[in-house]
């Protein structure tokens, strides 16, 4: 397999797209998961769904694949399917924040405001440093015309992103992009020098890309 690193900027928020891609064809559940996440990051959402479903078919207890599948369903507006996939991920690994954020967004799009709030708040309890959860709450409260709560959560998300920016500046980088690229390139070098799959997984966990 080979590494692909894509870094982009959406508005004022940095989006780091970091995924494994197979060289020719996937052979196992991990390959299909990595392929699916790569497709999702590239906006090829139906291909992402297909690959992630194949990963789950090969490993029905693959929590990360269910979580990623939920995210893929969310972006193609299949909200009920997104919620179902996230619930399956949570049933396997209950203490991960990501599927709750996706569920919150899906519930919101279905008009289930309280369920959306509950899901985002659960994500924050699991990971208080996750700006996406605060942004989710900000959007929900803004739509509900609770402007104070919307402002509070938006500011919290902004603060978390600002911490990354400050760390980059203190480390002598000209931008957050440069800082993140440097950190990830160092990790990619370490991973490429390491043939042990378990050590690779530990490094990716340390970066926060898998749990």
């Amino acid at each position: 397999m080979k590494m692909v690193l894509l870094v982009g900027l959406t508005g004022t928020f940095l989006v780091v797209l970091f995924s494994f891609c197979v060289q020719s064809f996937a052979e196992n559940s991990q390959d299909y998961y990595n392929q699916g996440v790569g497709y999702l990051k590239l906006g090829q959402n139906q291909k992402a769904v297909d690959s992630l479903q194949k990963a789950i078919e090969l490993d029905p207890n693959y929590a990360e694949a269910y979580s990623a599948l939920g995210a893929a369903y969310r972006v193609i507006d299949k909200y009920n399917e997104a919620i179902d996939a996230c619930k399956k991920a949570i049933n396997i690994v209950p203490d991960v924040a990501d599927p709750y954020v996706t569920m919150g967004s899906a519930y919101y799009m279905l008009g289930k405001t309280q369920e959306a709030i509950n899901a985002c708040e659960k994500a924050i309890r699991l990971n208080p440093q996750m700006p996406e959860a605060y942004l989710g709450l900000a959007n929900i409260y803004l739509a509900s015309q609770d402007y104070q709560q919307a402002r509070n959560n938006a500011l919290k998300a902004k603060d978390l992103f600002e911490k990354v920016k400050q760390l980059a500046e203190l480390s002598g980088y000209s931008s957050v992009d440069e800082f993140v690229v440097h950190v990830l390139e160092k990790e990619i070098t370490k991973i490429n020098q390491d043939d042990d799959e378990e050590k690779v997984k530990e490094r990716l966990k340390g970066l926060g890309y898998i749990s």
Side-chain angles (χ1 to χ4, degrees):
M1 290 186 293
K2 61 182 178 180
M3 295 289 185
V4 175
L5 175 63
L6 303 171
V7 179
L9 195 63
T10 303
T12 59
F13 300 120
L14 183 67
V15 179
V16 179
L17 309 181
F18 181 58
S19 64
F20 281 119
C21 291
V22 292
Q23 288 178 334
S24 54
F25 59 91
E27 297 179 343
N28 54 50
S29 61
Q30 182 71 54
D31 287 343
Y32 279 108
Y33 168 76
N34 292 329
Q35 187 182 66
V37 171
Y39 282 137
L40 183 59
K41 299 301 185 183
L42 293 171
Q44 299 182 37
N45 301 316
Q46 188 55 55
K47 288 184 177 180
V49 169
D50 295 341
S51 294
L52 293 165
Q53 286 177 332
K54 184 63 177 179
I56 291 166
E57 178 183 329
L58 294 171
D59 182 359
N61 293 312
Y62 203 157
E64 292 88 347
Y66 279 114
S67 182
L69 180 60
Y73 278 136
R74 165 61 187 87
V75 296
I76 61 175
D77 301 334
K78 292 188 175 182
Y79 306 123
N80 287 308
E81 290 88 341
I83 292 167
D84 289 341
C86 289
K87 285 182 176 179
K88 289 176 181 177
I90 292 165
N91 285 338
I92 298 168
V93 182
D95 57 351
V96 178
D98 295 75
Y100 284 102
V101 174
T102 301
M103 285 175 60
S105 177
Y107 277 131
Y108 169 69
M109 296 306 296
L110 290 171
K112 298 181 178 182
T113 302
Q114 191 56 54
E115 289 91 336
I117 291 172
N118 293 343
C120 290
E121 289 180 343
K122 177 66 174 181
I124 290 168
R125 288 196 295 272
L126 290 170
N127 183 3
Q129 304 303 312
M130 191 175 193
E132 294 86 354
Y134 293 100
L135 283 175
L137 279 177
N139 286 328
I140 295 165
Y141 283 123
L142 183 62
S144 302
Q145 299 184 353
D146 188 339
Y147 300 119
Q148 186 61 50
Q149 286 282 20
R151 180 178 182 277
N152 291 343
N153 283 282
L155 288 175
K156 181 62 177 180
K158 181 176 182 292
D159 180 61
L160 291 172
F161 282 113
E162 283 296 323
K163 287 180 180 178
V164 177
K165 182 180 178 181
Q166 290 170 8
L167 180 58
E169 291 174 350
L170 287 173
S171 301
Y173 296 96
S174 60
S175 67
V176 175
D177 295 62
E178 182 184 353
F179 170 66
V180 173
V181 169
H182 177 73
V183 171
L184 294 181
E185 282 179 345
K186 287 176 63 178
E187 291 300 322
I188 289 172
T189 299
K190 293 177 185 177
I191 291 171
N192 285 338
Q193 292 173 347
D194 200 339
D195 294 326
D196 188 325
E197 288 292 328
E198 289 303 316
K199 290 182 180 179
V200 170
K201 289 180 182 179
E202 288 303 314
R203 293 191 187 282
L204 290 174
K205 286 180 181 178
L207 282 171
Y209 291 105
I210 64 174
S211 56

